[in-house]
Amino acid sequence: MSSRFFATGSDSESESSSESEEQTVVQAKSTVTTKVFAFSDDEEETKRVVRSAKDKRFEELQNVIKQLRNHKKIKDISKVLETFEDLTKALQKSQKVIEKEGGVPRFYIRALVELEDFINETWEDREGRKKLNKVNSKALTTMRQKLRKYNRDFEAKIASYRENPDVGDEQEAPEDDRDKSDSESDDDDEAVQKKKSAVPADAAPDMKSQFLKGGDSEGSDDSDLDWPSDSDSESSDSSEPEGGYTNMAAKFLKKTTAAEEAAKAARKQEKKERKAREQRREEEERELEEGEWTEVQRGAPMAMEKPKMFAKGTEINHAVVLKKLNEILAARGKKGTDRSEQIMLLGELRRISEENNLGLGMTVKILFNIVASIFDYNPNIATCMKDEMWAKCITYITETMDILIDNTNIFVGANVLEESEAIEAEPFRVRGCILSVMERADEEFIKMLQACDAHSTEYVERLKDEKKIEVLVVRLQKYLEERGTSQEICRVYLRRIEHVYYKYDYEHYKTADLIRKTVEQKEEEAKDGEVEGKDGEVTPQEKGGEEAKDMVEEQKQKEKTAVIMDKLCKYIYAKDTTDRIRTRAILCHIYHHALHGRWYEARDLMLMSHLQDTIQHSDVPTQILYNRTMVQLGLCAFRYGNIKDAHNALLDIQSGGRAKELLAQGLLMQRNVERDPEREKIEKRRQMPFHMHINLELLECVYLVSAMLLEIPYMAAHEFDARRRMISKSFHHQLRVSERQPLVGPPESMREHVVAASKAMKIGDWRACRDFIINEKMNGKVWDLFPEAEKVRDLISRKIQEESLRTYLFTYSAIYDSLCLVTLAEMFELDGPVVHSIISKMIINEELAASWDEPTQTVVMHRSEPTRLQNLALQLSDKLANLVDNNERILEVKQGTSAFYTRQGEGRFGRQGKERHHQGKERHQGQSGYHQQQGRGYQGQRRDRGDRDRDHNKGYQNKGYNRW
């Protein structure tokens, strides 16, 4: 295409052409839509221009890039982040056009490179980062992470661009165009000089100009040159010297000014500085790699660059290490921090500190921070620590404990302020609490057990770590006994108590059995030998007793757990100032006594503590411990044969059917009830580890058997009593369920065995009752779980015989005139004195209307009990009396009769009327002299006494455990 200048003839021709033709001015800008305006002498007309999809999409990208640059200038990071997201969306819209054009345009790559440089410069400027507000600081971190991830898709193109950066777009386009025109003008000058040399020297000026014209038309492009306007050409023509067109090309070609040369040099300098920055960054990365830094494979990327520990040649001292420690801890808890890398950095800092002999104070301080970072590794409080982190935690705690125990010149405490720390010279003072660290580690151990499957080998392997925890607690106990306060000692004592109280000491019963057998053997030998010795000689019986005493004393010394519990708990009772630690210590002490069969010690401690009155005000974990203690107390009472105490202790736990939940051994799934997720998470964290569970089937069986031994004789004694109350509702529920079944087969479950035994006891068949309770199936499910299973089975068998005797007497006493003591002893396979004692107690308590005939060893029955027909008549009479009394009250209320007359006896059932009514009823009932004197009175006394026995508790009523 020919040049505009050389295509024009002269000024007169240009003027005439402008009058005859219409001139079109095209104005193109990147931020507005291109429009073509046509000007004429008489009218102005706007023409529409049809643009391609490429122009539209690329213009949209350029507009967004321009906004991005504007936001970078004012360092509005949040707007930069928003504009960057818009830019990525705009690129996605342009994917079809980009695929047709052969790839992402270079101006887009340039924008990414500039944005990356801007973000890196801002990030490296630590002082400037501190001045950013919270929104921009957060946006900077997010922008840095997103840009890194996004630029991975353009790594090759970005690297290619950095090697050969080209000119930009939008803002720097005019300058770049000038640079391009400068280079082209230089090329044109060289071409013109060559052509001038090719023209003959004697050629005419017009010929030379035509030659230059033709050559310029072939080698130039008018799109790359800025040409002056017509007025400029006119002025240049008017000012041209007379020499003509001898130097025409040099005159009209674009010349380079000094300002343009300076701008060009500045751009070159900027490019050099950018390359230098890239080289410095690469060198720093190489240095970090040489420093044995490994790339973190797992975890979120850190929000901070991996800090170089220390530059080469830096003097390592306390101030430098503390500064680096604070720098590492500054990222603790921040979003995006790689916690595993933070632990690694602290470990490396500890190694450097020890290599430079900065002292034990610095080592202990770094160890405390390492353990704290391990505890913070898992941000979710509901999940447990990983196995590898748990191993590291135990290792670091052990190292810290070793240093503190071996060096008495190190003082640590939570009350030590950071300003008052002394880590450079002895005595060292370090901020930190080893007791709190140990308590947190113990809690993490419990969470790990809760997260394991209780029936897997993983749980067994994890449970082995409890020995390590106990060793650490014992060492910490010794350390605090020498240097800690009384409150800290109470805390560590409680921690050790909670690891001991639920563990059964099997050596205790083995040694106890050995002692009992030895004593019995010595007594038999003493009886066979001489009982009376010579004066001053020790008889074999006395010798055997002394040996037994020595063995008992030796056994007391061997009962380490009992001695430990007694020592620790008594110290807490005396020194503790908080109710919680003392309450938990008492409950653990009671639990330990009950677990090892010390019934009277456990019972007395529970009654003296009065915890049943105040436990509802304690926290939930303490209430759970109270429930566990009451259950263990009830089991201990059952093993000792105190059936009533056992029933009272287990009543509230078993009556509601929520024993599993109250003992924190699992969650109950309730029908049509949606459980709150947050509350469910809290309850799961309260669950007891599996190895601390109490067998729920054993607990229910003991409760039902206790209820059977109490309820069946009571039901037989009050068979026709209309006001009879239930001792155990759950036991009656099991009986009703069995009675509603159309076909009752052999018992299968534990409950069915107890129900079948109850039915046999009702009719006095004690052998069937015993066989239902004690058999191979029940032994495997329940009774073998007791420490002394054989002893418990003998006790249950004896109790069944005794209660069956009582039930038999209550049921069939009206049939017999007298019963022989020997016959009863043979029927129930009991000793004569035992039968005599049971019957005598029933007579004394007025439960049985009978008397002893000592010469004949018989029980004479007094027919004071009414017959079945008489009992039904009495019940009908009572109900009719109540009905009439109610009708009288209703009638008085309707008629408005004053209550004064009723109180004075005017009404039929006033005070006097009621007395007459009851007197008549008693006369009707008194058919025999003995019955008239004792019969109804005895029945009323027996009913009242039964009510008192039923309502009376021995102090084991739970009053607050189930309110949580």
Coordinates of all heavy atoms in Angstrom, one line a residue, residues 244-308:
G244 N 14.6 22.2 -2.6 CA 13.7 21.3 -3.2 C 13.7 20.0 -2.4 O 13.7 20.0 -1.2
Y245 N 13.6 18.9 -3.1 CA 13.4 17.6 -2.5 C 14.7 16.8 -2.5 O 14.7 15.6 -2.6 CB 12.3 16.8 -3.3 CG 10.9 17.4 -3.2 CD1 10.5 18.3 -4.2 CD2 10.1 17.2 -2.1 CE1 9.2 18.9 -4.2 CE2 8.9 17.8 -2.0 CZ 8.4 18.6 -3.1 OH 7.2 19.2 -3.0
T246 N 15.8 17.5 -2.3 CA 17.0 16.7 -2.3 C 17.1 15.8 -1.1 O 17.7 14.7 -1.2 CB 18.2 17.7 -2.2 OG1 18.0 18.6 -1.1 CG2 18.2 18.6 -3.5
N247 N 16.5 16.2 0.1 CA 16.5 15.3 1.3 C 15.1 15.1 1.8 O 14.8 15.3 2.9 CB 17.4 16.0 2.4 CG 17.8 15.0 3.4 OD1 17.6 13.8 3.3 ND2 18.3 15.5 4.6
M248 N 14.2 14.8 0.8 CA 12.8 14.7 1.1 C 12.5 13.6 2.1 O 11.7 13.8 3.0 CB 12.0 14.5 -0.2 CG 10.5 14.6 0.0 SD 10.0 16.3 0.3 CE 10.4 17.1 -1.2
A249 N 13.0 12.4 1.9 CA 12.7 11.2 2.8 C 13.2 11.5 4.2 O 12.5 11.2 5.2 CB 13.4 10.0 2.2
A250 N 14.4 12.1 4.4 CA 14.9 12.4 5.7 C 14.1 13.4 6.4 O 14.0 13.4 7.6 CB 16.4 12.8 5.6
K251 N 13.5 14.3 5.6 CA 12.7 15.4 6.2 C 11.4 14.9 6.8 O 11.0 15.2 7.9 CB 12.4 16.5 5.2 CG 11.5 17.6 5.7 CD 11.3 18.6 4.6 CE 10.4 19.7 5.1 NZ 10.8 20.4 6.3
F252 N 10.7 14.0 6.1 CA 9.4 13.6 6.5 C 9.4 12.3 7.3 O 8.3 11.9 7.8 CB 8.5 13.4 5.3 CG 8.1 14.8 4.7 CD1 8.7 15.3 3.6 CD2 7.1 15.5 5.3 CE1 8.4 16.5 3.1 CE2 6.8 16.8 4.7 CZ 7.4 17.2 3.6
L253 N 10.4 11.6 7.3 CA 10.5 10.4 8.2 C 10.5 10.8 9.7 O 11.1 11.9 10.0 CB 11.7 9.5 7.9 CG 11.6 8.7 6.6 CD1 12.9 8.0 6.3 CD2 10.4 7.8 6.6
K254 N 9.9 10.0 10.6 CA 9.7 10.3 12.0 C 11.1 10.3 12.7 O 11.9 9.4 12.5 CB 8.8 9.3 12.7 CG 8.5 9.7 14.2 CD 7.6 8.7 14.8 CE 7.3 9.1 16.2 NZ 6.3 8.1 16.8
K255 N 11.4 11.4 13.4 CA 12.6 11.6 14.1 C 12.5 11.2 15.6 O 11.4 11.4 16.2 CB 13.1 13.0 14.0 CG 13.4 13.4 12.5 CD 13.9 14.8 12.5 CE 14.2 15.2 11.0 NZ 14.7 16.6 10.9
T256 N 13.5 10.7 16.2 CA 13.5 10.3 17.6 C 13.9 11.5 18.5 O 15.0 12.1 18.3 CB 14.4 9.2 17.9 OG1 14.0 8.1 17.0 CG2 14.4 8.7 19.3
T257 N 13.0 11.9 19.5 CA 13.4 13.0 20.3 C 14.1 12.5 21.6 O 14.2 11.3 21.8 CB 12.1 13.7 20.8 OG1 11.3 12.8 21.5 CG2 11.3 14.2 19.5
A258 N 14.6 13.4 22.4 CA 15.4 13.1 23.6 C 14.4 12.4 24.7 O 14.8 11.5 25.4 CB 16.0 14.3 24.2
A259 N 13.2 12.9 24.8 CA 12.2 12.3 25.8 C 11.9 10.9 25.4 O 11.8 10.0 26.3 CB 11.0 13.2 25.8
E260 N 11.7 10.6 24.1 CA 11.4 9.2 23.8 C 12.6 8.3 24.0 O 12.5 7.2 24.4 CB 11.1 9.2 22.3 CG 9.7 9.9 22.0 CD 9.5 10.0 20.5 OE1 10.4 9.7 19.7 OE2 8.3 10.3 20.2
E261 N 13.8 8.8 23.8 CA 15.0 8.0 24.1 C 15.1 7.7 25.6 O 15.4 6.6 26.0 CB 16.3 8.8 23.7 CG 16.4 8.9 22.1 CD 16.8 7.6 21.5 OE1 17.2 6.6 22.3 OE2 16.7 7.4 20.3
A262 N 14.8 8.7 26.5 CA 14.8 8.5 27.9 C 13.8 7.5 28.3 O 14.0 6.6 29.2 CB 14.6 9.8 28.6
A263 N 12.5 7.6 27.8 CA 11.5 6.6 28.1 C 11.9 5.2 27.7 O 11.7 4.2 28.4 CB 10.2 7.0 27.4
K264 N 12.5 5.1 26.5 CA 13.0 3.8 26.0 C 14.0 3.2 27.0 O 14.0 2.0 27.3 CB 13.5 3.9 24.6 CG 13.9 2.6 24.0 CD 14.3 2.9 22.5 CE 14.6 1.5 21.8 NZ 15.0 1.7 20.4
A265 N 14.9 4.1 27.4 CA 16.0 3.6 28.3 C 15.4 3.2 29.7 O 15.8 2.2 30.3 CB 17.0 4.7 28.5
A266 N 14.4 3.9 30.1 CA 13.7 3.6 31.4 C 13.0 2.2 31.3 O 13.1 1.4 32.3 CB 12.7 4.6 31.8
R267 N 12.4 1.9 30.2 CA 11.8 0.6 30.0 C 12.8 -0.5 30.0 O 12.6 -1.6 30.6 CB 10.9 0.6 28.7 CG 9.6 1.4 28.8 CD 8.7 1.1 27.7 NE 9.3 1.5 26.4 CZ 9.2 2.7 25.8 NH1 8.5 3.6 26.5 NH2 9.7 3.0 24.7
K268 N 13.9 -0.3 29.4 CA 14.9 -1.3 29.4 C 15.5 -1.5 30.8 O 15.7 -2.7 31.2 CB 16.1 -0.9 28.4 CG 15.7 -0.9 27.0 CD 16.9 -0.5 26.1 CE 16.5 -0.6 24.6 NZ 17.7 -0.1 23.7
Q269 N 15.6 -0.4 31.5 CA 16.1 -0.6 32.9 C 15.1 -1.4 33.8 O 15.5 -2.2 34.6 CB 16.4 0.8 33.5 CG 16.9 0.8 34.9 CD 18.3 0.2 35.0 OE1 19.0 0.2 33.9 NE2 18.7 -0.3 36.1
E270 N 13.8 -1.1 33.6 CA 12.8 -1.8 34.3 C 12.8 -3.3 34.0 O 12.7 -4.2 34.9 CB 11.4 -1.3 34.0 CG 10.3 -1.9 34.8 CD 8.9 -1.3 34.4 OE1 8.9 -0.4 33.6 OE2 7.9 -1.8 35.0
K271 N 13.1 -3.7 32.8 CA 13.1 -5.1 32.4 C 14.4 -5.7 33.1 O 14.3 -6.9 33.5 CB 13.2 -5.2 30.9 CG 12.0 -4.8 30.1 CD 12.1 -4.9 28.6 CE 10.9 -4.4 27.9 NZ 11.0 -4.5 26.4
K272 N 15.5 -5.0 33.1 CA 16.6 -5.5 33.8 C 16.4 -5.8 35.2 O 16.8 -6.8 35.8 CB 17.8 -4.6 33.6 CG 18.3 -4.5 32.1 CD 19.5 -3.6 32.1 CE 20.1 -3.5 30.6 NZ 21.2 -2.5 30.5
E273 N 15.7 -4.8 35.9 CA 15.4 -5.0 37.3 C 14.5 -6.2 37.6 O 14.6 -6.9 38.6 CB 14.8 -3.7 37.9 CG 15.8 -2.5 37.9 CD 15.1 -1.3 38.4 OE1 13.9 -1.3 38.6 OE2 15.8 -0.2 38.5
R274 N 13.5 -6.4 36.7 CA 12.6 -7.5 36.8 C 13.4 -8.8 36.7 O 13.1 -9.8 37.5 CB 11.5 -7.4 35.8 CG 10.4 -8.4 35.9 CD 9.3 -8.2 34.9 NE 8.8 -6.8 34.9 CZ 8.1 -6.3 33.9 NH1 7.8 -7.0 32.8 NH2 7.6 -5.1 34.1
K275 N 14.3 -8.9 35.8 CA 15.0 -10.1 35.6 C 15.9 -10.3 36.8 O 16.1 -11.5 37.3 CB 15.9 -10.0 34.4 CG 15.1 -10.1 33.1 CD 16.1 -10.1 31.9 CE 15.3 -10.2 30.6 NZ 16.2 -10.2 29.4
A276 N 16.5 -9.2 37.4 CA 17.3 -9.4 38.6 C 16.5 -9.9 39.8 O 17.0 -10.7 40.6 CB 17.9 -8.0 39.0
R277 N 15.2 -9.4 39.9 CA 14.4 -9.9 41.0 C 14.1 -11.4 40.8 O 14.1 -12.2 41.8 CB 13.1 -9.1 41.1 CG 13.2 -7.7 41.6 CD 11.9 -7.2 42.0 NE 11.0 -7.1 40.9 CZ 10.9 -6.0 40.1 NH1 11.6 -4.9 40.4 NH2 10.0 -5.9 39.1
E278 N 13.8 -11.8 39.6 CA 13.6 -13.2 39.4 C 14.8 -14.1 39.7 O 14.7 -15.1 40.3 CB 13.2 -13.4 37.9 CG 11.9 -12.8 37.5 CD 10.7 -13.5 38.2 OE1 10.9 -14.7 38.5 OE2 9.7 -12.9 38.4
Q279 N 16.0 -13.6 39.4 CA 17.2 -14.3 39.7 C 17.4 -14.4 41.2 O 17.8 -15.5 41.7 CB 18.4 -13.6 39.0 CG 18.4 -13.7 37.5 CD 19.6 -13.0 36.9 OE1 20.3 -12.4 37.6 NE2 19.7 -13.1 35.6
R280 N 17.1 -13.3 41.9 CA 17.2 -13.4 43.4 C 16.3 -14.4 44.0 O 16.6 -15.1 44.9 CB 17.0 -12.0 44.0 CG 18.1 -11.0 43.8 CD 18.0 -9.8 44.7 NE 16.8 -9.1 44.5 CZ 16.6 -8.1 43.7 NH1 17.7 -7.7 42.9 NH2 15.5 -7.5 43.6
R281 N 15.1 -14.4 43.5 CA 14.1 -15.3 44.0 C 14.5 -16.8 43.8 O 14.4 -17.7 44.6 CB 12.7 -15.1 43.4 CG 11.6 -15.9 44.0 CD 10.2 -15.6 43.4 NE 9.9 -14.2 43.5 CZ 9.8 -13.3 42.5 NH1 10.0 -13.7 41.3 NH2 9.5 -12.0 42.8
E282 N 15.0 -17.1 42.6 CA 15.5 -18.4 42.3 C 16.7 -18.8 43.2 O 16.8 -19.9 43.7 CB 15.9 -18.5 40.8 CG 14.7 -18.4 39.9 CD 15.2 -18.4 38.4 OE1 16.4 -18.4 38.2 OE2 14.3 -18.3 37.5
E283 N 17.6 -17.8 43.5 CA 18.7 -18.1 44.4 C 18.2 -18.4 45.8 O 18.7 -19.3 46.4 CB 19.6 -16.9 44.4 CG 20.4 -16.7 43.1 CD 21.3 -15.5 43.1 OE1 21.2 -14.8 44.1 OE2 22.0 -15.2 42.1
E284 N 17.2 -17.7 46.3 CA 16.7 -18.0 47.6 C 16.1 -19.3 47.7 O 16.3 -20.1 48.6 CB 15.6 -16.9 48.0 CG 16.2 -15.5 48.2 CD 15.1 -14.5 48.5 OE1 14.0 -14.9 48.5 OE2 15.5 -13.3 48.8
E285 N 15.4 -19.7 46.6 CA 14.8 -21.1 46.6 C 15.9 -22.1 46.6 O 15.7 -23.2 47.3 CB 13.9 -21.2 45.4 CG 12.6 -20.4 45.5 CD 11.7 -20.5 44.2 OE1 12.2 -21.2 43.3 OE2 10.7 -19.9 44.2
R286 N 16.9 -21.9 45.9 CA 18.0 -22.9 45.9 C 18.7 -23.0 47.3 O 19.0 -24.1 47.7 CB 19.1 -22.5 44.8 CG 18.6 -22.8 43.4 CD 19.9 -22.8 42.5 NE 20.5 -21.5 42.4 CZ 20.1 -20.5 41.6 NH1 19.2 -20.7 40.7 NH2 20.8 -19.4 41.6
E287 N 18.8 -21.8 47.9 CA 19.4 -21.9 49.3 C 18.5 -22.6 50.2 O 19.0 -23.4 51.1 CB 19.6 -20.4 49.8 CG 20.7 -19.7 49.1 CD 20.9 -18.3 49.6 OE1 20.1 -17.9 50.5 OE2 21.8 -17.6 49.1
L288 N 17.2 -22.4 50.1 CA 16.3 -23.2 51.0 C 16.4 -24.7 50.7 O 16.4 -25.5 51.7 CB 14.9 -22.7 50.8 CG 14.6 -21.3 51.3 CD1 13.1 -20.9 50.9 CD2 14.8 -21.2 52.8
E289 N 16.5 -25.1 49.5 CA 16.7 -26.5 49.2 C 18.0 -27.0 49.7 O 18.0 -28.2 50.2 CB 16.6 -26.7 47.6 CG 15.2 -26.4 47.1 CD 15.2 -26.5 45.6 OE1 16.3 -26.7 45.0 OE2 14.1 -26.3 45.0
E290 N 19.0 -26.2 49.6 CA 20.3 -26.7 50.2 C 20.2 -26.8 51.7 O 21.0 -27.6 52.3 CB 21.4 -25.7 49.8 CG 21.7 -25.7 48.3 CD 22.7 -24.6 48.0 OE1 23.1 -23.9 48.9 OE2 23.1 -24.5 46.8
G291 N 19.3 -26.1 52.4 CA 19.2 -26.2 53.8 C 18.4 -27.4 54.3 O 17.8 -27.4 55.4
E292 N 18.1 -28.4 53.4 CA 17.5 -29.6 53.8 C 16.0 -29.4 54.1 O 15.4 -30.1 54.9 CB 18.1 -30.3 54.9 CG 19.6 -30.7 54.7 CD 20.2 -31.4 55.8 OE1 19.5 -31.5 56.9 OE2 21.3 -31.9 55.7
W293 N 15.4 -28.5 53.4 CA 13.9 -28.3 53.6 C 13.2 -29.3 52.6 O 13.6 -29.4 51.4 CB 13.5 -26.9 53.2 CG 14.0 -25.9 54.2 CD1 15.0 -25.1 54.1 CD2 13.5 -25.7 55.5 NE1 15.2 -24.3 55.2 CE2 14.2 -24.7 56.1 CE3 12.4 -26.3 56.3 CZ2 14.0 -24.2 57.4 CZ3 12.2 -25.8 57.5 CH2 13.0 -24.8 58.1
T294 N 12.3 -30.0 53.1 CA 11.5 -31.0 52.3 C 10.1 -30.4 52.0 O 9.5 -29.7 52.9 CB 11.4 -32.3 53.0 OG1 10.8 -32.1 54.3 CG2 12.8 -32.9 53.2
E295 N 9.6 -30.8 50.9 CA 8.3 -30.3 50.5 C 7.2 -31.1 51.3 O 7.3 -32.3 51.4 CB 8.0 -30.5 49.0 CG 6.7 -29.9 48.6 CD 6.5 -30.1 47.1 OE1 7.5 -30.6 46.4 OE2 5.5 -29.8 46.6
V296 N 6.2 -30.4 51.9 CA 5.2 -31.0 52.6 C 4.2 -31.7 51.7 O 3.7 -31.0 50.8 CB 4.5 -30.0 53.5 CG1 3.3 -30.7 54.3 CG2 5.4 -29.4 54.5
Q297 N 4.0 -32.9 51.8 CA 3.1 -33.6 50.9 C 1.7 -33.6 51.3 O 0.8 -33.6 50.5 CB 3.6 -35.1 50.8 CG 5.0 -35.3 50.3 CD 5.2 -34.8 48.9 OE1 4.3 -34.9 48.1 NE2 6.4 -34.4 48.6
R298 N 1.4 -33.5 52.6 CA 0.0 -33.5 53.1 C -0.2 -32.2 53.8 O 0.7 -31.5 54.3 CB -0.2 -34.6 54.0 CG -0.2 -36.0 53.3 CD -0.6 -37.1 54.2 NE 0.2 -37.2 55.3 CZ 0.0 -38.0 56.4 NH1 -1.1 -38.8 56.4 NH2 0.8 -38.1 57.4
G299 N -1.5 -31.8 54.0 CA -1.8 -30.6 54.7 C -2.0 -29.5 53.8 O -1.6 -29.4 52.6
A300 N -2.7 -28.4 54.3 CA -2.9 -27.2 53.5 C -1.6 -26.5 53.3 O -0.8 -26.5 54.2 CB -4.0 -26.4 54.2
P301 N -1.5 -25.7 52.3 CA -0.3 -24.9 52.1 C -0.2 -23.8 53.1 O -1.3 -23.2 53.5 CB -0.5 -24.3 50.7 CG -1.9 -24.4 50.4 CD -2.5 -25.6 51.1
M302 N 1.0 -23.5 53.6 CA 1.1 -22.5 54.6 C 0.8 -21.1 54.0 O 1.0 -20.8 52.9 CB 2.6 -22.5 55.1 CG 2.9 -23.7 56.0 SD 4.5 -23.6 56.7 CE 4.2 -22.2 57.8
A303 N 0.3 -20.3 54.9 CA 0.0 -18.9 54.5 C 1.2 -18.0 54.5 O 1.2 -16.9 54.1 CB -1.0 -18.3 55.5
M304 N 2.4 -18.6 55.0 CA 3.6 -17.9 55.0 C 4.7 -18.7 54.2 O 4.6 -19.9 54.2 CB 4.1 -17.6 56.4 CG 4.1 -18.9 57.3 SD 4.7 -18.6 58.9 CE 6.5 -18.5 58.6
E305 N 5.6 -18.0 53.7 CA 6.7 -18.7 53.1 C 7.5 -19.5 54.1 O 7.6 -19.1 55.3 CB 7.7 -17.7 52.4 CG 7.0 -17.0 51.2 CD 6.9 -17.8 50.0 OE1 7.5 -18.9 50.0 OE2 6.2 -17.4 49.0
K306 N 8.1 -20.6 53.6 CA 8.9 -21.3 54.6 C 10.1 -20.5 55.1 O 11.0 -20.1 54.3 CB 9.4 -22.6 53.9 CG 8.3 -23.6 53.7 CD 8.9 -25.0 53.3 CE 9.5 -24.9 51.9 NZ 9.9 -26.3 51.4
P307 N 10.1 -20.1 56.3 CA 11.1 -19.2 56.8 C 12.5 -19.9 56.8 O 12.7 -21.0 57.2 CB 10.7 -18.8 58.2 CG 9.9 -20.0 58.7 CD 9.2 -20.6 57.5
K308 N 13.5 -19.1 56.4 CA 14.9 -19.6 56.5 C 15.2 -19.5 58.0 O 15.0 -18.4 58.6 CB 15.8 -18.7 55.7 CG 16.8 -19.5 54.9 CD 17.5 -18.5 54.0 CE 18.5 -17.7 54.7 NZ 19.4 -17.0 53.8

